[in-house]
């Protein structure tokens, strides 16, 4: 299973440019549709008409193997009843998909994909900037905002994701997919999904996240400073925010470039933990740790 959100936008070309600048590699591109893979997780961009209800909307989707939807439906049906969620199976142009409608109205969709190819599907397009030397590892993260954080996190666990970090305050839980990518649940008065990213140094990504640019995990923002320099040099509007718990990067959203509140959040794994509990054992054992992140 891989976390691969779909972001729908009328600014497809601008989003493509930004998605590549954030570390994505284009693996498929056709009229109105772009797929990218990252160090952890994946992203799809889908054209939307300007001003349409889905313009600027992110869907939380989980990639699964082709043909697995019927088995997922049989397995999840009884379990989801305890969460107040329901299933909806649909036949689409790319195959069957399974929608999980949560009690708060949010939708998580299982998307079928072909079995992995023996070799990578594609490399950077000639039009994309080629990586030079070691590059940061970027994880795609879909954030689900809801008034019922724990209930939503429990549902994601039932769907097959594994808890990674939970705030002691109860306002944040994030989870990882075994195949890559992150999903998070954040306290919010209204229900919605947002696209974000997490960055780490080469080889630093593990079960509990990523380290900073110098590899020591102290969260000093080294990789974010480097990414900020690259983004601004290529014409992207990005700002570093240095707060008490560490550094975050806010990047102008191509859907609303002048809206500060709509900026895309890029965080860096914080090694010194305060106020959070980190789960890192495959058997579900949790070690208490202290952590404060930008997401809290």
């Amino acid at each position: 299973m891989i976390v691969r959100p779909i972001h729908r936008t009328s600014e497809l070309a601008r989003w493509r440019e930004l998605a590549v600048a954030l570390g994505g590699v284009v693996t498929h591109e056709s009229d109105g549709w772009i797929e990218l893979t990252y160090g952890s997780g994946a992203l799809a961009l889908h054209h939307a008409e300007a001003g349409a209800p889905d313009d600027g909307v992110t869907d939380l989707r989980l990639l699964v193997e082709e043909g697995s939807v019927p088995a997922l439906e049989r397995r999840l049906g009884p379990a989801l009843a305890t969460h107040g969620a329901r299933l909806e199976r649909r036949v689409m142009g790319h195959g069957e998909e399974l929608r999980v409608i949560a009690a708060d109205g949010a939708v998580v969709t299982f998307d079928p994909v072909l079995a992995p190819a023996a070799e990578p599907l594609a490399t950077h397009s000639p039009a994309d900037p080629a990586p030079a030397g070691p590059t940061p590892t970027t994880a795609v993260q879909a954030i689900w905002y809801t008034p019922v954080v724990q209930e939503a996190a429990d549902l994601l666990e039932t769907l097959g994701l594994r808890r990674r970090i939970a705030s002691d305050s109860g306002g944040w839980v994030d989870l990882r997919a075994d195949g890559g990518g992150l999903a998070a649940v954040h306290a919010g008065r209204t229900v919605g999904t947002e696209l974000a990213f997490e960055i780490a140094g080469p080889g630093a990504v593990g079960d509990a996240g990523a380290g900073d640019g110098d590899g020591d995990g102290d969260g000093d923002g080294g990789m974010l400073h480097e990414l900020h320099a690259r983004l601004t040099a290529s014409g992207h509007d990005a700002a570093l925010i240095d707060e008490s718990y560490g550094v975050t990067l806010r990047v102008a959203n191509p859907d609303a470039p002048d809206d500060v509140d709509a900026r895309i959040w890029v965080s860096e794994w914080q090694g010194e933990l305060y106020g959070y509990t980190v789960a890192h054992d495959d058997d579900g054992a949790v070690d208490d740790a202290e952590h404060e992140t930008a997401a809290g």
Side-chain angles (χ1 to χ4, degrees):
M1 182 187 299
I2 301 171
V3 176
R4 190 194 71 179
I6 295 179
H7 184 75
R8 303 172 190 277
T9 176
S10 58
E11 298 290 345
L12 194 61
R14 294 172 64 191
W15 256 105
R16 183 196 189 283
E17 180 185 355
L18 178 59
V20 169
L22 288 171
V25 175
V26 175
T27 56
H28 177 80
E29 190 164 6
S30 57
D31 187 28
W33 177 260
I34 302 169
E35 296 176 12
L36 303 100
T37 187
Y38 288 79
S40 181
L43 173 65
L45 302 173
H46 194 297
H47 173 73
E49 294 296 329
D54 62 346
D55 189 10
V57 171
T58 299
D59 299 338
L60 173 49
R61 292 185 173 240
L62 305 173
L63 289 182
V64 293
E65 288 187 9
E66 186 180 32
S68 63
V69 164
L72 277 169
E73 185 176 28
R74 289 192 299 271
R75 178 175 68 83
L76 293 174
L80 291 185
T82 63
H83 297 285
R86 60 187 176 87
L87 290 174
E88 182 180 277
R89 185 171 165 186
R90 303 194 306 182
V91 178
M92 309 297 288
H94 60 282
E96 287 186 313
E97 66 176 29
L98 190 63
R99 301 174 81 236
V100 180
I101 299 102
D104 67 358
V107 177
V108 182
T109 303
F110 287 99
D111 246 340
V113 294
L114 295 175
E119 298 180 359
L121 294 177
T123 57
H124 282 281
S125 161
D128 299 331
T135 57
T137 295
T138 304
V140 177
Q141 185 173 63
I143 303 177
W144 172 0
Y145 288 88
T146 178
V148 287
V149 172
Q150 296 307 316
E151 291 86 342
D154 290 344
L155 175 58
L156 289 176
E157 274 196 300
T158 298
L159 298 184
L161 279 74
R162 301 190 184 200
R163 287 188 189 237
R164 194 181 65 141
I165 304 168
S167 67
D168 296 343
S169 67
W172 171 269
V173 179
D174 75 18
L175 309 92
R176 62 183 178 86
D178 286 345
L182 303 170
V185 186
H186 195 300
R189 289 188 294 271
T190 58
V191 177
T193 307
E194 182 177 279
L195 180 62
F197 298 87
E198 183 178 282
I199 194 167
V205 174
D207 285 356
D212 63 13
D214 51 22
D216 61 12
D218 61 15
D220 62 13
M223 275 291 174
L224 289 181
H225 283 87
E226 294 173 17
L227 178 59
H228 174 257
R230 291 199 304 273
L231 288 172
T232 54
S234 59
H236 295 282
D237 181 3
L240 284 165
I241 310 296
D242 194 351
E243 302 180 82
S244 59
Y245 45 73
V247 180
T248 60
L249 182 63
R250 314 288 175 83
V251 185
N253 188 329
D255 297 319
D258 298 324
D259 186 348
V260 175
D261 293 334
R263 289 195 165 216
I264 300 155
W265 206 316
V266 184
S267 61
E268 185 170 336
W269 171 254
Q270 307 294 310
E272 296 182 4
L273 306 174
Y274 183 78
Y276 279 68
T277 297
V278 178
H280 54 77
D281 289 341
D282 287 342
D283 62 2
V286 175
D287 286 352
D288 288 335
E290 296 182 336
H291 184 44
E292 185 67 31
T293 70

